[in-house]
Amino acid sequence: MCSSKLVNYLLVIALLLLLYKHVIAEDSQDGFHGDERDALLTLKKGFNNSFLNVNWTGIQCYMNSTPNWYGIQCTNGRVTGVSLENMGLVGKIEPYALVNLAELSILSFKNNSISGNLMNFSYNSKLKKVDLSANRFDREISSSLLGLNFLESLQLQENNLVGSIPGFDQSSLREFNVSYNNLSGKIPDTGILQSFGLSSFVGNQDLCGAPTPTACSSSLNDSSDPPHSDNKSSFLSTTLIVVDVIVLFVLSIFLIIYYKKYKKLKKQMQRRNSVQVNEEKREAITNNSIALTDNSIENSVPAREDDRGKLMFLDKNGTYFELDDLLKASAEGLGKGNFGNCYKAMLEIGPAVVVKRLRDLKPLSSDEFMKHVHAIADKKHPNLLPPLAYYYSKDEKLLLYKYASNGNLYNRLHEGRGTQNRVKFRWSSRLSVAHGVARALGYLHLAIRSQTIAPHGNLKSSNILLDENDEVLVTDYGLISLIALPIAAQRMVSYKSPEYQGQKIVSKKSDVWSYGSILLELLTGRIPTHSAPQGANGVDLCSWVNRAVREEWTAEIFDVEIAAQRSANHGMLGLMQIAMKCCEKSPEKRPEMAEVLREVEDIKIVGDSEDEEDLSLDQSLTDDSLSASTPSLLIAAERR
Ligand SMILES: *[C@@H]1O[C@H](CO)[C@@H](O)[C@H](O)[C@H]1NC(C)=O
Ligand SMILES: *[C@@H]1O[C@H](CO)[C@@H](O)[C@H](O)[C@H]1NC(C)=O
Ligand SMILES: *[C@@H]1O[C@H](CO)[C@@H](O)[C@H](O)[C@H]1NC(C)=O
Ligand SMILES: *[C@@H]1O[C@H](CO)[C@@H](O)[C@H](O)[C@H]1NC(C)=O
Ligand SMILES: *[C@@H]1O[C@H](CO)[C@@H](O)[C@H](O)[C@H]1NC(C)=O
Ligand SMILES: *[C@@H]1O[C@H](CO)[C@@H](O)[C@H](O)[C@H]1NC(C)=O
Ligand SMILES: *[C@@H]1O[C@H](CO)[C@@H](O)[C@H](O)[C@H]1NC(C)=O
């Protein structure tokens, strides 16, 4: 009996090892790792450390060669260690900063001055060593640490951590230290925690229970798991035999299925490997710019035709082409969008298209993905830019759009200021943009009845495109349903709204808020903080305008390029009033999009007469002339 049990165990272990090895090997080849790079760059930006700013450039990991980035360890091109000790790093780390570092095994920020929350480690299941000692972390010990089943060493001493100690009971834990913090409550009664000596817990005034000498007063209850019951092990031993027979059976079936796929997988792995190398080489070339400037997008899809999906066209009447046409086309990087890189592809037949690579998606099956994309493409309006086609494979998801030849509103508004190349962006053009965007949003809000989502979700000036006739095309709408929530919360405009910061909700009114910010951006020529691209300085436009109005430096609000157009002053003030209503902190006070649309359309476009252009600024718009016409604006501002 005993020996047959042993044989069973050995078999199970052997099978597990086999499975584990192949599954892991397959995983580590999966795609290339821009996400890891982004995570590290975000850390770098947060620390703003002069050494890291210079040292963390270029490519972080190249297969198995020694990384060029200080403190980084890599295996097979994946980041497995981040170790930044004694560097005087200050600041906070986002709770979700490590989400994309799934292979991380060693993490140390020992002896710095980092404060705030501990990170959420839920996505770092391979962590073995975590050392955050001698910092200024001042919140609770994250319960996500309890889920780390390989954790061997946890060093949290010499911080200002508060709250009670969670009930650690992973048997892997060999080293543990939470001394010299501000922890309180009973030390949980788990076997593992009780195996550490007093020196792991000293220096916390309000800790009680073994191994400290202080007994807990009865009012302090243990918040952790109840201690393991003793008859659990006897229960286990009686059911073990049954369990391992079942496990063995299931595993054998898995194994058979797995071996059938194994050869095919191996081939794919080799091919993907070479794709990855090319990708990284290209990124290495362009290490300091965010745009990829390669001239082919060939590497983004498998080389062999039968492994590829097809391009699926969403509009049956448009130009039709094959994936191969796209791969042959010369391409130009348009820069890095929020959810992946964008390319412009010049097809030999037909017009140029924009290819958007999607990253950080929710895990969606091909059917679900298709359903979402069709729902987006079904929204048709002259001021919306729907996707033309999509491509779905395990490793790559692409959306194709028509190319809008006059660029985006962000560039039109802010690029080339103060240079000779700058073409003035006059009032009538700005107002027509405001009209177009309002129409597009009004339509989306009507088409999507739900009150609890933001139908656009990511409205900002770089997502407002201008076609060859300067007509507005709003793009990037509806992607909110495709993106994983933690990522969306970091990157999408609706999640920057006051209601998400406060109550963690977004709704149609969040789009209204984003629209208000666009209006202010059009009126002031300034960049709003929440949509400023990396490297650009933004202002919190809503507060800034409110203050300006309250303190009566109204004349300085408007962009100098339009301030001189006197005949338009009335319209500008009207638009400003609408913008301020849309920017209200509380979503209930903001108008519905339909009402906004009506009011914006009431502001009529007047010609930009040429003679006004010659008027010098100081005589055309003084504080007097403005405040005479702004009583209602001022009153509106004062009521807030
Ligand atoms: C980064 O630090 C430098 C000085 O070390 C400072 O001038 C700069 O403003 C900082 N940047 C940010 C974004 O905090
Ligand atoms: C970063 O620092 C390490 C160690 O000081 C050095 O070996 C490496 O070359 C540096 N990398 C860059 C890109 O400066
Ligand atoms: C901690 O880091 C600082 C540099 O920030 C260094 O001067 C100091 O010696 C380090 N302390 C220990 C104990 O290593
Ligand atoms: C960590 O993140 C996961 C997934 O988003 C969440 O379920 C969990 O509650 C978080 N844990 C902590 C302690 O914040
Ligand atoms: C310890 O934490 C309590 C709240 O739990 C706080 O009131 C106290 O100021 C903290 N003490 C130190 C030294 O940080
Ligand atoms: C825990 O950390 C404290 C302070 O650094 C140190 O004095 C103590 O020896 C450590 N205990 C263990 C078990 O490592
Ligand atoms: C502590 O736990 C006991 C039973 O588990 C309960 O009766 C008592 O009310 C608890 N005390 C506090 C202060 O929560």
Side-chain angles (χ1 to χ4, degrees), residues 410 526-529 532-539:
Y410 179 87
R526 286 164 199 263
I527 305 172
T529 328
Q534 259 192 356
N537 286 325
V539 264

Short mmCIF file of all heavy atoms in Angstrom, two decimals, residues 410 526-529 532-539:
data_model
loop_
_atom_site.label_atom_id
_atom_site.label_comp_id
_atom_site.label_asym_id
_atom_site.label_seq_id
_atom_site.Cartn_x
_atom_site.Cartn_y
_atom_site.Cartn_z
N TYR A 410 -4.37 68.28 -31.19
CA TYR A 410 -3.29 68.64 -30.27
C TYR A 410 -2.16 69.32 -31.03
O TYR A 410 -1.70 70.40 -30.66
CB TYR A 410 -2.76 67.39 -29.54
CG TYR A 410 -1.62 67.71 -28.61
CD1 TYR A 410 -1.87 68.11 -27.31
CD2 TYR A 410 -0.30 67.64 -29.04
CE1 TYR A 410 -0.83 68.43 -26.45
CE2 TYR A 410 0.74 67.97 -28.20
CZ TYR A 410 0.47 68.36 -26.90
OH TYR A 410 1.50 68.69 -26.07
N ARG A 526 -3.83 76.39 -24.01
CA ARG A 526 -2.98 75.70 -23.03
C ARG A 526 -3.29 74.22 -23.00
O ARG A 526 -4.38 73.81 -23.37
CB ARG A 526 -3.19 76.30 -21.64
CG ARG A 526 -2.55 77.65 -21.51
CD ARG A 526 -3.08 78.39 -20.30
NE ARG A 526 -2.79 79.80 -20.47
CZ ARG A 526 -1.72 80.39 -19.93
NH1 ARG A 526 -0.89 79.72 -19.18
NH2 ARG A 526 -1.50 81.68 -20.14
N ILE A 527 -2.33 73.45 -22.47
CA ILE A 527 -2.47 71.99 -22.46
C ILE A 527 -3.02 71.53 -21.11
O ILE A 527 -2.47 71.89 -20.08
CB ILE A 527 -1.10 71.32 -22.70
CG1 ILE A 527 -0.50 71.85 -24.00
CG2 ILE A 527 -1.22 69.81 -22.72
CD1 ILE A 527 0.94 71.41 -24.23
N PRO A 528 -4.13 70.76 -21.09
CA PRO A 528 -4.63 70.27 -19.80
C PRO A 528 -3.74 69.16 -19.23
O PRO A 528 -3.22 68.34 -20.00
CB PRO A 528 -6.02 69.71 -20.13
CG PRO A 528 -6.16 69.74 -21.60
CD PRO A 528 -4.94 70.33 -22.22
N THR A 529 -3.56 69.17 -17.93
CA THR A 529 -2.68 68.19 -17.27
C THR A 529 -3.04 66.76 -17.61
O THR A 529 -2.17 65.94 -17.88
CB THR A 529 -2.82 68.28 -15.74
OG1 THR A 529 -3.10 69.61 -15.39
CG2 THR A 529 -1.57 67.78 -15.06
N ALA A 532 -1.84 65.74 -21.08
CA ALA A 532 -0.53 66.19 -21.58
C ALA A 532 0.33 64.99 -21.90
O ALA A 532 0.43 64.07 -21.10
CB ALA A 532 0.14 67.06 -20.54
N PRO A 533 0.94 64.95 -23.09
CA PRO A 533 1.83 63.83 -23.40
C PRO A 533 3.12 63.94 -22.58
O PRO A 533 3.39 65.00 -22.01
CB PRO A 533 2.11 64.01 -24.88
CG PRO A 533 1.84 65.43 -25.18
CD PRO A 533 0.84 65.92 -24.18
N GLN A 534 3.86 62.85 -22.54
CA GLN A 534 5.11 62.85 -21.78
C GLN A 534 5.98 64.02 -22.20
O GLN A 534 6.15 64.28 -23.38
CB GLN A 534 5.86 61.54 -22.05
CG GLN A 534 5.71 60.55 -20.94
CD GLN A 534 6.67 59.40 -21.07
OE1 GLN A 534 7.41 59.29 -22.03
NE2 GLN A 534 6.68 58.54 -20.08
N GLY A 535 6.50 64.72 -21.22
CA GLY A 535 7.43 65.80 -21.54
C GLY A 535 6.76 67.16 -21.69
O GLY A 535 7.44 68.18 -21.67
N ALA A 536 5.42 67.19 -21.87
CA ALA A 536 4.75 68.48 -22.00
C ALA A 536 4.23 68.91 -20.63
O ALA A 536 3.84 68.08 -19.83
CB ALA A 536 3.60 68.37 -22.99
N ASN A 537 4.25 70.19 -20.39
CA ASN A 537 3.74 70.69 -19.12
C ASN A 537 2.28 71.07 -19.25
O ASN A 537 1.94 71.89 -20.08
CB ASN A 537 4.52 71.91 -18.66
CG ASN A 537 5.88 71.52 -18.15
OD1 ASN A 537 6.04 70.46 -17.55
ND2 ASN A 537 6.88 72.34 -18.42
N GLY A 538 1.43 70.48 -18.45
CA GLY A 538 0.02 70.82 -18.52
C GLY A 538 -0.40 71.70 -17.35
O GLY A 538 0.33 71.83 -16.38
N VAL A 539 -1.57 72.32 -17.48
CA VAL A 539 -2.17 73.02 -16.34
C VAL A 539 -3.53 72.39 -16.05
O VAL A 539 -4.17 71.88 -16.96
CB VAL A 539 -2.42 74.52 -16.61
CG1 VAL A 539 -1.30 75.37 -16.09
CG2 VAL A 539 -2.69 74.78 -18.07
#
